[in-house]
Amino acid sequence: MGCVQSFRALCDRPKNTNVRISLPAVCFVWQIAMIILFGVFIRYDEESDTHWIEHRKKENISSDIENDFYFRYPSFQDVHVMIFVGFGFLMTFLKRYSFGAVGFNFLIAAFGLQWALLMQGWFHSLDYTDGKIKIGVESLINADFCVAGCLIAYGAVLGKVSPVQLMVLTLFGITLFAVEEYIILSLIHARDAGGSMVIHTFGGYYGLSISWMLYRPNLDQSSNLQGSVYHSDVFAMIGTLFLWMFWPSFNSAITDHGDGQHRAAINTYLALASTVLTTVAISSLFQKHGKLDMVHIQNSTLAGGVAVGTAAEFMLMPYGSLIVGFCCGIISTLGYIYLTPFMEKHLKIQDTCGIHNLHAMPGVIGGIVGAITAAAASEEHFRGKKTLSPFLNQRLINTFDFEGAFKNMVPTKQGGHQAAGLCVAICFGIGGGIIVGCILRLPIWGDPADDNCFNDEPYWELPEDEESAPPILHYNNHMANKDV
């Protein structure tokens, strides 16, 4: 542990500096920069541009209804609700940090999706003929996915960082996300429709590494604010239910139209249902008097959706989805009971929302399930009417995108590529989190003091508490004397 403390000390600067970067300055400068960059690089794609009519004739498209907007927009709306409502309300469990949970979630999501459109565009949709990034509805979905990784990381440092630190976390997080996504999906050629590896594993370990770098030994000064109250847990449960309901859309949003998208929604639906029952059973089993812990119900019930993400469009089979959900319900719930306290005490990782149990571990499980399912794929599962080779057929080719440079790929080799993608996500999450954590330790970001953590007051104008309002005198209470 002495080496760890020395490493953190190297990242520190004298605390007596008066230089602070203000939130208004960051917001104004960033938005002006985005306007300039969008003006230079961003344009509509052929399906959202006014040249859609010419594109229809060229591609022999019979109707406007075949525009990708009509296929993708419902899923986009569902994912959008998850990002802004689901993630936001899931983090409102702290008794005095609800404004920060929902408000800063709103801020960094709106901040991040603009940068995500640029970063992902440069890697995936740059038109080299004119040097422009062409965006459509699928670009918006992918930008939301990119932001999701940063919101996951936010959960680990919830209540312990300033809004400027969150924007720095998001800026670097989206940059790292775009790079690792390109490596995993394009160079390694792993499939990850629901983002178990690219989103959840990366976001989870990115946030945990930052939390490790920002460890606060005196955080007990805010211990009275670290818990929840009855109504804050109810609000957090709203976020859980939104996420739970829309997770099938999340995992199927960018899959191929037809059977792949249909299969992804079914697999996610079943895994989530299985996770709920398992979580309830384990929570009751390990609590005194057989009662349920609301922390487990808010979080572990979602772990199945995370873990089934990579294999969602594969032939996982309905019973396989139930098995994934069953295992994740056990592992995630036990993680909250045993691992979270162990990590804080021995590893010095203060994980406010328990993202290790909801995102990091289930994301790794999802990557492993994806690798096994891909390697075990056979012609019997993907049998079509026309077999193109002794083993491969068109459905197998479509599912794993065995085209171009990967046309000779076989499922067993694809399983190895899936495993390699998982390793890249973990390395980028941990390595990137440590580097960004070093940056966030600088005092210029205005991080809150230990006794101001988990408290909205340093950053928000708060209404007076109801119980602190002055009492109304009896003789002046018109409602009490309305019958007189």
Side-chain angles (χ1 to χ4, degrees):
M1 295 309 294
C3 295
V4 172
Q5 292 171 357
S6 300
F7 179 70
R8 290 197 183 102
L10 288 174
C11 305
D12 282 336
R13 293 293 185 271
K15 296 294 184 180
N16 56 356
T17 180
N18 292 321
V19 179
R20 291 288 188 274
I21 297 178
S22 68
L23 181 62
V26 173
C27 291
F28 274 119
V29 171
W30 180 257
Q31 196 56 61
I32 292 170
M34 287 297 99
I35 292 170
I36 295 171
L37 288 172
F38 269 59
V40 173
F41 290 104
I42 299 288
R43 297 294 183 270
Y44 301 119
D45 68 6
E46 68 273 3
E47 297 198 58
S48 54
D49 190 75
T50 52
H51 294 91
W52 161 246
I53 297 176
E54 289 88 345
H55 179 72
R56 268 184 57 189
K57 293 179 180 178
K58 180 181 177 181
E59 299 294 329
N60 197 26
I61 298 173
S62 61
S63 170
D64 283 337
I65 202 67
E66 295 184 48
N67 190 299
D68 201 39
F69 174 85
Y70 297 101
F71 293 99
R72 301 290 187 194
Y73 189 74
S75 295
F76 162 70
Q77 277 289 72
D78 291 351
V79 173
H80 219 45
V81 169
M82 290 177 69
I83 296 300
F84 287 92
V85 179
F87 277 102
F89 275 90
L90 182 64
M91 293 186 280
T92 59
F93 63 93
L94 293 171
K95 64 180 72 173
R96 296 293 296 176
Y97 201 71
S98 294
F99 282 19
V102 176
F104 293 151
N105 182 92
F106 194 8
L107 170 67
I108 63 177
F111 167 85
L113 63 85
Q114 299 176 67
W115 184 232
L117 286 170
L118 283 162
M119 285 300 303
Q120 291 181 308
W122 281 321
F123 281 106
H124 296 288
S125 55
L126 182 64
D127 188 343
Y128 291 100
T129 61
D130 59 7
K132 305 299 182 185
I133 297 168
K134 305 300 174 61
I135 65 170
V137 66
E138 190 168 340
S139 305
L140 307 185
I141 296 172
N142 281 317
D144 275 355
F145 283 168
C146 194
V147 165
C150 295
L151 295 179
I152 290 167
Y154 176 33
V157 296
L158 181 71
K160 300 177 292 186
V161 292
S162 70
V164 176
Q165 283 179 302
L166 286 175
M167 297 181 82
V168 174
L169 177 153
T170 305
L171 173 65
F172 286 102
I174 283 173
T175 305
L176 289 165
F177 182 99
V179 176
E180 61 109 17
E181 179 188 46
Y182 177 73
I183 293 173
I184 293 172
L185 302 185
S186 299
L187 300 184
I188 296 178
H189 192 71
R191 303 286 285 177
D192 193 21
S196 296
M197 301 181 293
V198 174
I199 300 172
H200 299 283
T201 301
F202 166 77
Y205 286 108
Y206 179 62
L208 291 169
S209 299
I210 291 175
S211 181
W212 177 72
M213 288 301 301
L214 300 181
Y215 176 69
R216 291 171 176 264
N218 299 316
L219 194 60
D220 56 350
Q221 295 181 24
S222 300
S223 59
N224 63 314
L225 297 175
Q226 289 189 48
S228 62
V229 290
Y230 191 85
H231 67 270
S232 68
D233 270 334
V234 171
F235 275 112
M237 195 62 196
I238 293 173
T240 298
L241 293 175
F242 269 99
L243 290 170
W244 197 92
M245 289 188 298
F246 290 132
W247 216 294
S249 294
F250 189 94
N251 284 352
S252 65
I254 59 171
T255 53
D256 293 336
H257 298 318
D259 65 293
Q261 196 164 37
H262 198 163
R263 194 161 53 244
I266 293 172
N267 288 336
T268 307
Y269 179 88
L270 294 173
L272 286 166
S274 177
T275 307
V276 173
L277 270 71
T278 311
T279 299
V280 169
I282 298 298
S283 179
S284 176
L285 186 64
F286 281 82
Q287 293 298 114
K288 292 181 178 180
H289 310 298
K291 295 183 178 180
L292 299 174
D293 190 325
M294 198 58 165
V295 173
H296 307 155
I297 307 305
Q298 288 165 357
N299 296 279
S300 296
T301 52
L302 302 172
V306 174
V308 82
T310 296
E313 62 179 328
F314 300 166
M315 290 295 291
L316 184 59
M317 304 305 291
Y319 67 86
S321 302
L322 294 176
I323 293 171
V324 171
F326 177 80
C327 294
C328 280
I330 296 173
I331 293 171
S332 179
T333 309
L334 293 179
Y336 278 100
I337 296 171
Y338 296 112
L339 273 182
T340 298
F342 175 86
M343 290 169 62
E344 181 166 355
K345 182 178 180 180
H346 298 286
L347 303 182
K348 309 302 180 186
I349 298 175
Q350 296 161 326
D351 183 6
T352 307
C353 287
I355 66 167
H356 183 253
N357 312 307
L358 173 54
H359 298 283
M361 283 198 303
V364 171
I365 293 171
I368 295 171
V369 170
I372 294 172
T373 309
S378 66
E379 188 183 7
E380 293 179 1
H381 288 152
F382 292 89
R383 187 180 300 280
K385 293 182 179 179
K386 295 181 180 179
T387 301
L388 302 182
S389 73
F391 182 74
L392 299 181
N393 58 54
Q394 191 60 47
R395 294 184 182 184
L396 194 61
I397 291 171
N398 289 341
T399 298
F400 294 106
D401 198 20
F402 290 158
E403 297 177 348
F406 301 94
K407 64 180 180 180
N408 296 320
M409 184 83 79
V410 293
T412 51
K413 189 175 180 180
Q414 179 65 34
H417 283 230
Q418 296 290 141
L422 176 61
C423 294
V424 170
I426 294 172
C427 291
F428 264 79
I430 296 175
I434 291 173
I435 294 171
V436 175
C438 289
I439 296 171
L440 293 178
R441 288 178 70 88
L442 298 173
I444 59 175
W445 312 121
D447 56 322
D450 290 332
D451 57 350
N452 272 332
C453 290
F454 314 114
N455 195 346
D456 280 328
E457 191 168 1
Y459 303 110
W460 296 88
E461 291 288 346
L462 301 178
E464 291 186 7
D465 292 332
E466 185 177 347
E467 58 268 18
S468 65
I472 300 175
L473 298 177
H474 180 72
Y475 60 80
N476 196 32
N477 188 343
H478 300 289
M479 292 301 295
N481 297 283
K482 61 182 181 180
D483 295 327
V484 178

